Amino acid sequence: MKILIVKTSSLGDVVHMLPAISDAHARIPNLSVDWVVEENFAEVPAWHAGVSRVIPVALRRWRKHLFSAATHAEMQTWRNNLQQSTYDVVLDSQGLVKSAVLGCFAQGTRHGYDRHSSREPLASIGYQRHHAIARDQHAITRNRLLTAAALGYTLEGLPLHYGISQHAFGAIPAPLPQPYIVALHGTSRPAKEWAESHWQKLIQAMAARGIHTLLPWGNTREHERATRLAQHPHAHCLPRCRLGELAAILQGAQGVIGMDTGLMHLAAALDKPSIALYPVTAPALTGLLGNDSNHYQPLSVSGDETQDSTKVIATFLAQLTDQRS
C-alpha cells in the first residue's frame, strides 16, 4: 500500500502526526508513506524511518508573492513532483481548506474528516471518503483514529510511539555546558508567557544543583529576554539554531521546561522529562503526551497553577532526580 499524508503545519501538529505513522507501519506490511509538509518543518517527517518521501510545500512563502511568475513556476514544479506517484489513500489529517486543496492535486482516493469532525467543515468537500472522529479528543488520538479509519485497522494493542526518540540528529552548533536543561521561554504572544522573574528563579534552582540552563530564541523579543536571563553564569543564550540543531540539543538535555510550543511536543516525543506551561489555554486537547514505552509521562500545567513557580520548579526537579536515579 502507498499512501500520502497531508499535514503541513505547525510544528506541534506535525509532531502529533508521527504516532499515526508508527501505527500504520505496525499494522500494514510493506507500507510506503509520503508526506506533504510546509518547507520549514520538512525535517520532522524525515526523522521517522517509516516515511519514504517528504514533499515540501511553501504556502506561507507563496502567498506573499502569489501573482509572480517565479511563484507560479515553483507551484507547477511542486505539482509535477507530487503527481509522480499514484496513491491508494491520500489522507488530509489537517482538516483545513488549504490542506484539502493540496490533497486534490494528488492522484488517489482522498480521505479526511467529515464536516462535523473537521476544523474547517468546508474542507470536507474536498474528500471522497469521510470519517467521523470526535473532536473532544486529544489531537494525537484524532490523528491516530483518522489514519486507522482510512487504512482499515484498529488501535487495539498499539502503544503510542512517535518513532523518533532514537534518531541521530547530527552535530550541535557549538560545545554545550554539561549537564543542562533547555528552557523554552518563547511563545506566540505575550499573554502566554511566564514572568521573567520565574525564569530567573528556575535558573537559580538549576545552578544550585550544578545544572546549566540553555535559552533558545526565535525572534528579537525572545533574544532580548534570553540575553537578560543569560547574565547568570549558569544560563546561556544559544545562537540562532535550525530545527534539526534544536532537536539535537533537546535530545541531549536532562529535561525541558517551557511554554505551550511545538518544541515542547518535540521534547515529549524524545522522552525528555518535561513540563509545559499553559497560562491561558487548556491542555486537554493539545497537552504533552509521551511515548507509552517511557517510564514517565511529561506534565502539562495550566491556569493559575503556572504562576506558582516554586511548585512548578519543585516538580521539574523531581522529574530530573527521577531520571538521574
Side-chain angles (χ1 to χ4, degrees), residues 171-178 180 214 238-239 241 245 249:
I172 55 177
L176 300 176
Q178 299 291 336
Y180 66 85
L214 305 190
L238 291 173
C241 298
E245 293 170 337
I249 291 169

Side-chain angles (χ1 to χ4, degrees), residues 149-225:
L151 302 187
Y153 59 82
T154 70
L155 296 182
E156 184 177 358
L158 286 176
L160 191 158
H161 182 53
Y162 291 89
I164 65 169
S165 61
Q166 302 302 315
H167 183 77
F169 293 100
I172 55 177
L176 300 176
Q178 299 291 336
Y180 66 85
I181 66 155
V182 178
L184 299 173
H185 56 98
T187 187
S188 57
R189 63 181 193 270
K192 296 173 65 177
E193 293 176 353
W194 216 30
E196 205 162 308
S197 59
H198 296 341
W199 293 115
Q200 291 169 344
K201 188 182 295 185
L202 171 74
I203 290 166
Q204 292 165 3
M206 295 298 115
R209 291 156 179 83
I211 301 173
H212 296 264
T213 300
L214 305 190
L215 301 157
W217 54 274
N219 57 43
T220 300
R221 176 184 174 84
E222 293 172 10
H223 184 247
E224 291 173 349
R225 179 170 53 236

Side-chain angles (χ1 to χ4, degrees), residues 21 36 43 69 93 96 104 119 137 157 174 180 184 195 199 209 269 274 279 283:
I21 305 303
V36 173
E43 292 176 83
S93 62
L96 301 178
C104 288
R119 290 166 61 184
Q137 301 178 92
Y180 66 85
L184 299 173
W199 293 115
R209 291 156 179 83
S274 306

Side-chain angles (χ1 to χ4, degrees), residues 9-10 66 69 79 105 135 141 150 165 168 180 196 200 212 214 226 232 252 282 290 314:
S9 61
S10 58
L66 192 57
R79 181 175 177 174
F105 289 110
R135 298 189 63 177
T141 302
S165 61
Y180 66 85
E196 205 162 308
Q200 291 169 344
H212 296 264
L214 305 190
H232 192 288

Side-chain angles (χ1 to χ4, degrees), residues 22 26 95 98 100 120 145 168 186 191 259 278 294:
S22 299
K98 67 177 184 180
E120 293 182 358
L145 288 171
M259 312 313 298
Y278 292 72
N294 202 12

